[in-house]
Structures are given as C-alpha cells and as structure tokens.
Amino acid sequence: MANEDKEIETIPVGPLGLVPLKSCEGLGKKVNDYLVQWRSARQSEHKNTIAFAGYQRDSYIIDTQISRFGTGEGKGTILQTVRGGDLFLMVDVCNHSLTYSLCGMTNHMSPDDHFSDLKRIIMAAAGKARRINVIMPFLYESRQYKRNGRESLDCALALHELVNMGVENIITFDAHDPRVQNAIPLKGFETVQPIYQFIKAILAAEPELRVDAEHMMVISPDEGGMSRAIYFANMLGLDVGMFYKRRDYTRLVGGRNPIVAHEFLGADVAGKDVIVVDDMISSGESVQDVARELKRRKAGKVFICGTFGLFTNGLTRFDRYYEEGLIDRVFTTNLVYQSPELLSRPYYVSVEMSKYIALLIDSLNHDTSISELLQPSERIHRVLEKHRAAQAAGKQG
C-alpha cells in the first residue's frame, strides 16, 4: 500500500512543521517533498475539519536562521509562527563542511557547534509549539555513552539537556549503544536500524549475489557490533562471524592501545561473499584491516556497510584497497554529510534514507505505531523473494 493511500485513523498531534537546520538542509528538502506528495494525494472525509487545519501545504519547512557575531557567538531565530505546531527538528552534527567567521578567521563547525545551534532553535520556539521532536541521525557524543573512571558522560548529559528544554521524542539511527536511552526513561527515544535500506542497496548494486548461507556471510569487525551483525545475518538467513582486536595494553600510541592482531571467530569464509557491517566508518582502519584479513582467508567479494560514513582520514587508503581488490564496495547512508569526492568514487554506494525519515515523521505526527518501520522483517523478505525470483527467471531465460 502506497503511503498516500494510508487510511487516516487518528488526527494529527498538531500542524506539521519540519525544521531542518542548515547542516541537514538537503536531506530535509527530500523529506519535505515526500510529505507534500503523500498528503496532497491522501483522501479522507475528515481532511476539511478544523482538526486537520494546515494538513495539506506546499511545504512543511519552517524557515529559521542562525546568526553569528564577530566573536563566533550565535543566536537562533524562527522566521514564521510555530504556535501549536508539531515540530520535527533535523540536525547533522557531523557536517564539517559548514563554516563561520571567528574573529576574522574561518572556523569549521564541530559537533558542539551543531548541538548548540539545535538548542538555539528550540529556545527560539519559546514553548509555543505543541510538541518538539528531534531527528538526530548521528547521536551527539554517542561514543561517550558510559563512564570509565573520572571522565565526562557527554551523551547522557546532552539527552538530559534536550528533554529539559521540552523535547518529547528523540529519533536517532544505529546508536553506538542503545542503552544510553536509560538516561531519559520518561521520554521517547528510538534508535532505528537501516537494515532494509542496506539490503535494497546491496541487491540493486550486485544483482548476481546469491543470498544464502552457502555463498554469503555477515561479519562483525569487533565484539561490540555483534548484536548488529547477528540481526543483519538473521534477516538474510546467513551465518555470522566476528573479528576481535588483540591489543597491547602495555603502551599507548595516539591515546590508544595499539592493535597487535585481528583474530577471527566463525565458519570458513573461503569462496563466500561477505558483508562487513558496522555503525560507522570513522578513520576506516578497522574495516580496512578486516577486509585484508578476509581476503587473506580467500573470501569472495567484500562489501563494507556503515550507517555513518565519516571518513575522517580521507579516502586515499580506501582508493588503494579498492585498486588492490581488497574491497569491492562501500555502502553508507546519506544521514550525514557526503563530500563530492566520496560520491564520485566508483566503489561507493549512497544509501538513500529520506523516504524512511518521512514515513517516521508522518506516523509520529498522527501519533500512530512505528513498530513496522522499526522491525521491517516483512519488507526485507519481500525484497529477497523478488531478488531470488529475478535470478530464477534470468536462469530460465
């Protein structure tokens, strides 16, 4: 059933307002286009009632502005009314491409700057909105989610700040550790796995893949990502394997204990295509080392899947690994900033997420269940059946 044909069973929480900050501008426009398309085509006998006032509009985007003083200090302004609205603020805290002037010098925006801008727009709403929801694909400070010794607990504090400012729901994707939601037990927190979109992208890019336990495996690059890999493997009906990092805890290099070796636990990968799945590709060293080890063990094609492609050390090493045949494709989502250089790489596939976000927003605005979106097993099975049917038809032809 198309989303525009969805039966309206509940009234909206309030008039929908989409507030993509500049860091999320491109993604926000795509989400807005889906919402406009669906709601303009959706039929209901109730649409002309007062409860649905402002339901169909040419755009749901609320114009905002972040101004900067010469010192780098900022202020947020909302340029149109939001009274009584159901606001969905979108922010990409990893967008390093944006800059501002700091005492005459060009300063690139850090995650701290983006998070401060988010709070500025929430403050500008001044309690007039009926509900405020935050869509933050990469959860701010998500890698600092637990305390070891005398150190800061940044992610929990950030979540507390948002709910204390009136945020009702926080939607994030593939949180580094979902247990961080325990910091705000009385508010809505959802961490969404984009596995359905990954599977669609992989099968579209590699239509010849044979998705069965005899020909494919799913690999976790470390023990921390095993639950993610197991979920991925179960959805595809594949076996799972894991690498763990043996470290030298007697010394520090660059603030970390150096990795001595990558040890593998799992069935034989020889001749099998493998999907290495992780929540993010930061420097990329971990998945690159895993890819080399898999090829050394006679694996077939190696596909790297990371929800967030940060590529903090650039793309040179990925280019070399692709040229050497160690990596066949890299899949990451458009939930965070993608540089033109990344998009131009022959091995890179962008996984589109705007429709999925629009579905979440549309459901939440109607205060209806999003369980089907969070657990898309039926959709995944349909995609796999279609893929296998196409392969069978190709063989018969």
Side-chain angles (χ1 to χ4, degrees):
M1 181 177 66
N3 195 265
E4 57 265 28
D5 298 327
K6 177 181 176 182
E7 290 187 16
I8 298 175
E9 298 178 349
T10 58
I11 63 174
V13 172
L16 176 60
L18 190 61
V19 190
L21 274 68
K22 194 171 183 181
S23 61
C24 227
E25 207 168 42
L27 183 62
K29 287 179 180 177
K30 291 181 181 180
V31 171
N32 179 66
D33 289 342
Y34 278 113
L35 292 169
V36 170
Q37 175 188 333
W38 294 338
R39 294 195 170 195
S40 63
R42 188 173 289 160
Q43 299 300 319
S44 171
E45 59 183 318
H46 305 295
K47 283 199 304 185
N48 295 323
T49 64
I50 193 170
F52 282 77
Y55 190 77
Q56 293 179 330
R57 300 207 301 268
D58 293 333
S59 175
Y60 297 97
I61 292 179
I62 304 294
D63 292 327
T64 61
Q65 178 180 303
I66 300 292
S67 306
R68 296 276 176 180
F69 300 101
T71 57
E73 298 166 291
K75 68 175 180 180
T77 307
I78 295 177
L79 302 176
Q80 60 194 90
T81 181
V82 294
R83 187 179 294 276
D86 188 20
L87 302 187
F88 290 82
L89 281 67
M90 299 175 61
V91 60
D92 173 12
V93 298
C94 295
N95 192 337
H96 60 275
S97 69
L98 301 180
T99 61
Y100 61 91
S101 177
L102 175 62
C103 297
M105 298 177 289
T106 299
N107 198 48
H108 284 264
M109 291 188 68
S110 70
D112 294 342
D113 293 319
H114 288 298
F115 188 67
S116 293
D117 283 352
L118 171 66
K119 292 190 291 183
R120 289 181 176 112
I121 296 301
I122 294 172
M123 284 189 284
K128 303 300 188 297
R130 179 163 300 173
R131 186 174 69 172
I132 294 179
N133 314 273
V134 169
I135 297 177
M136 186 187 295
F138 184 96
L139 185 61
Y140 174 69
E141 289 288 0
S142 58
R143 283 186 282 186
Q144 189 53 27
Y145 63 94
K146 64 181 179 181
R147 173 178 284 156
N148 293 310
R150 294 191 182 96
E151 59 184 26
S152 57
L153 199 54
D154 297 59
C155 191
L157 179 62
L159 294 176
H160 269 284
E161 282 189 277
L162 291 179
V163 300
N164 288 339
M165 296 179 76
V167 173
E168 288 292 328
N169 294 300
I170 298 171
I171 308 295
T172 189
F173 286 79
D174 208 351
H176 197 65
D177 190 325
R179 290 174 296 183
V180 74
Q181 66 187 288
N182 294 336
I184 49 169
L186 300 181
K187 296 295 181 180
F189 181 98
E190 300 291 349
T191 174
V192 185
Q193 290 283 351
I195 181 172
Y196 171 64
Q197 287 74 18
F198 270 125
I199 291 171
K200 281 180 61 179
I202 291 170
L203 297 182
E206 299 284 338
E208 301 302 317
L209 279 182
R210 299 182 65 181
V211 186
D212 57 55
E214 187 180 345
H215 298 93
M216 286 189 72
M217 275 186 73
V218 175
I219 305 295
S220 173
D222 53 41
E223 58 274 24
M226 268 303 286
S227 60
R228 184 181 299 105
I230 290 171
Y231 179 57
F232 210 114
N234 286 343
M235 286 293 180
L236 294 174
L238 305 179
D239 292 331
V240 67
M242 182 195 80
F243 281 88
Y244 69 91
K245 300 164 186 169
R246 190 148 51 86
R247 295 180 180 272
D248 181 359
Y249 288 101
T250 64
R251 59 196 181 99
L252 286 174
V253 177
R256 297 185 299 176
N257 300 109
I259 298 170
V260 177
H262 287 80
E263 305 290 354
F264 182 67
L265 298 174
D268 187 13
V269 299
K272 295 180 181 179
D273 299 325
V274 294
I275 301 173
V276 181
V277 58
D278 208 353
D279 60 334
M280 70 181 76
I281 299 174
S282 186
S283 67
E285 291 178 4
S286 179
V287 292
Q288 289 162 354
D289 291 343
V290 165
R292 183 178 290 278
E293 288 294 323
L294 288 168
K295 287 292 187 178
R296 192 172 66 81
R297 289 171 166 80
K298 311 296 184 187
K301 291 185 176 180
V302 175
F303 307 118
I304 309 296
C305 290
T307 305
F308 306 107
L310 307 179
F311 302 101
T312 55
N313 284 3
L315 299 170
T316 304
R317 199 173 179 204
F318 277 98
D319 295 341
R320 189 173 75 250
Y321 272 51
Y322 173 69
E323 291 164 3
E324 294 175 1
L326 300 175
I327 290 175
D328 291 271
R329 288 191 186 272
V330 176
F331 298 82
T332 69
T333 70
N334 65 334
L335 292 170
V336 294
Y337 170 72
Q338 299 165 302
S339 68
E341 293 77 18
L342 174 64
L343 294 171
S344 69
R345 293 304 196 263
Y347 54 84
Y348 179 70
V349 178
S350 175
V351 180
E352 179 62 53
M353 295 297 297
S354 55
K355 185 176 182 180
Y356 195 28
I357 294 174
L359 286 166
L360 289 167
I361 290 174
D362 193 41
S363 298
L364 289 171
N365 181 236
H366 277 282
D367 216 13
T368 58
S369 173
I370 59 173
S371 297
E372 186 183 350
L373 297 174
L374 300 179
Q375 299 289 339
S377 55
E378 289 185 12
R379 295 185 180 199
I380 291 170
H381 290 152
R382 286 198 296 268
V383 169
L384 290 175
E385 287 171 6
K386 184 178 178 181
H387 173 74
R388 287 165 181 153
Q391 285 187 328
K395 286 180 181 179
Q396 291 174 1

